[in-house]
Amino acid sequence: MAQYDVDLFIIGAGSGGVRAARIAGEYGARVMIAEEDRVGGTCVIRGCVPKKLLVYASRYADDFIDAAGYGWTVPQPTFQWPTLIANKDAEIARLERAYVTTLERAGAQLTRQRALLEDRHTARLADGSKVSAKYILIATGGGATPGHNILGLEHVISSKEAFDLPELPKRILIQGGGYIAVEFAGIFAGLGSKVTLIYRGENILRGFDDDVREHLRMELGNRGITVLTGKTVEAVEASSEGYYSKLSDGAMIETDRVMFAVGRRPNVEGLGLEAAGVKLNAKSAIAVNEFSQTSVSNIYAVGDVTDRINLTPVAVREGHYFADTIFGNKPMAVDHEDVPTAVFSTPEVGVIGITEAKARDRFAKVDIYKTTFRPMRATVAARDTRTFMKLVVDGDTDRVVGVHIVGPDAAEIIQAVGIAVKMKATKADFDAVMALHPTAAEELVTMRDKATTFEKEAK
Ligand SMILES: Cc1cc2nc3c(=O)[nH]c(=O)nc-3n(C[C@H](O)[C@H](O)[C@H](O)COP(=O)(O)OP(=O)(O)OC[C@H]3O[C@@H](n4cnc5c(N)ncnc54)[C@H](O)[C@@H]3O)c2cc1C
């Protein structure tokens, strides 16, 4: 039998790679993990965590307004971007150290350099050394796509640079309609920047329920964000004060910064995938089966590099189940159905299950329940914002197949109501729960009147 330097070699110490290393190590596997950047990966260093900290910072703007309504005397608040960025960096450094400790405790050997595949059992490191492994896990994540090769693309920043700007831009143009673009629009607007969000499609948040898209767009507008759809940035050039962006309709907009958040792509380039025989799918992501196994039987891939559902908990679970399957003798396939998801815009979006449009495709009869109301907290200061909630119900089985919320704490509510949806709760089950008053979430169990019923025509 062939002898290998390690049982498992992992490329990438992000969400998926670190979890796989820990679990495999706990099963007694000899693990080595290579990381070319900082340990923790996208989520910890330049994704979920710094993003959420900036979102928290931006939401104080509303709190100051509400506080005055509740009788507090609020001195004119001022904001120091460098303080926020320094404190954010300190927290990320703390988390990075925690990730390194996790690897150490699991007995995994961390090597801080780039790695690639030489063949199906060999990884080559940037320092020229080679490591043979019985199993290899590719967990290299993804990166921002630069977008079209327009004139002046070198002036454009991505979310990665946005986290470390030396100063808060007074004016920023953000191109993109996905969750990252919308979240950064909310961050910068809350902190006081004048934000223009520009998206080539007809409305932001493609793939989300149409009512959610409409409601959030209206809310962004109410918060002073200019949302331009059906347009693109054609060129960017430096001006004396910042940058001019030339739009597809001929308009010119001058801002201090231009940011693109137009999509992400799997990190597959220069990894030696061909040498090892690892195949890509039609989306240029690593093709895997339900156990995250690639076209080469001893090579597995998890997380964003497989472009299944690009979220941290999904990468973590895929990494965990990979280790259970291979080193714990417990074959586990990740269930990618009904994954709760959030957009940390302000107000935020929380979703589990399918949209009304998808339900209409899938089911013969669909019942829709909707409500919109002003969140109680905002009433006293008369802040102009409304919460939106929607239930999508399979009319034949009464099962709740989609819950969509736009409003404060939507993500927290969805995480909890997600248990019910995953357990296949019916609308009658929702109705049987006593309301908890006064809360926003009580609306989920008190929506009695159908907004619409859709029935497919009999054929
Ligand atoms: C701005 C932003 C906000 C986000 N917000 C959220 C959120 O709120 N909630 C959520 O669930 N998800 C969020 N995500 C997505 C989340 O960050 C990813 O889904 C998650 O990090 C994927 O984990 P991963 O293990 O696949 O890859 P990553 O975490 O990206 O880790 C991959 C690691 O591999 C390393 N690497 C790559 N190639 C090599 C190589 N050849 N050799 C050595 N090392 C290599 C990289 O440096 C990186 O550290 C966000 C992403 C972004 C960009």
Side-chain angles (χ1 to χ4, degrees), residues 175-222:
Q175 173 160 248
Y179 80 95
I180 295 176
V182 169
E183 289 174 344
F184 272 93
I187 289 169
F188 284 117
L191 296 177
S193 308
K194 172 89 196 83
V195 179
T196 306
L197 184 66
I198 174 165
Y199 177 55
R200 70 188 159 127
E202 65 186 36
N203 203 356
I204 54 172
L205 290 187
R206 188 162 63 91
F208 283 75
D209 190 273
D210 286 339
D211 283 330
V212 166
R213 301 169 76 189
E214 209 42 60
H215 189 85
L216 185 68
R217 182 178 181 155
M218 185 187 73
E219 286 284 333
L220 297 185
N222 289 347

Side-chain angles (χ1 to χ4, degrees), residues 12 14-16 35-36 41-42 48 51 114-115 139 141 179 303-304 311-313:
S15 306
E35 173 53 59
E36 66 175 343
T42 305
C48 338
K51 183 268 302 282
R114 186 169 170 79
Y179 80 95
D304 287 9
L311 291 172
T312 288

Side-chain angles (χ1 to χ4, degrees), residues 231-250:
K231 300 180 201 329
T232 53
V233 176
E234 302 274 278
V236 179
E237 65 181 66
S239 70
S240 56
E241 307 249 327
Y243 302 96
Y244 283 121
S245 297
K246 182 168 180 244
L247 307 191
S248 48
D249 63 2

Side-chain angles (χ1 to χ4, degrees), residues 11-17 34-38 40-43 46-48 51 113-115 139-142 159 163 179-180 183-184 264 267 271 302-305 310-313 315 344:
I11 309 181
S15 306
E35 173 53 59
E36 66 175 343
D37 197 327
R38 293 177 64 184
T42 305
C43 180
R46 50 192 170 273
C48 338
K51 183 268 302 282
Q113 54 185 318
R114 186 169 170 79
T140 50
S159 58
F163 286 122
Y179 80 95
I180 295 176
E183 289 174 344
F184 272 93
R264 297 189 56 85
N267 278 335
L271 273 184
V302 295
D304 287 9
V305 75
N310 297 331
L311 291 172
T312 288
F344 293 101

Side-chain angles (χ1 to χ4, degrees), residues 134-158:
K134 187 167 182 195
Y135 292 98
I136 293 177
L137 179 68
I138 305 169
T140 50
T145 47
H148 296 306
N149 192 16
I150 58 159
L151 209 65
L153 195 60
E154 68 277 12
H155 301 309
V156 174
I157 60 167
S158 72

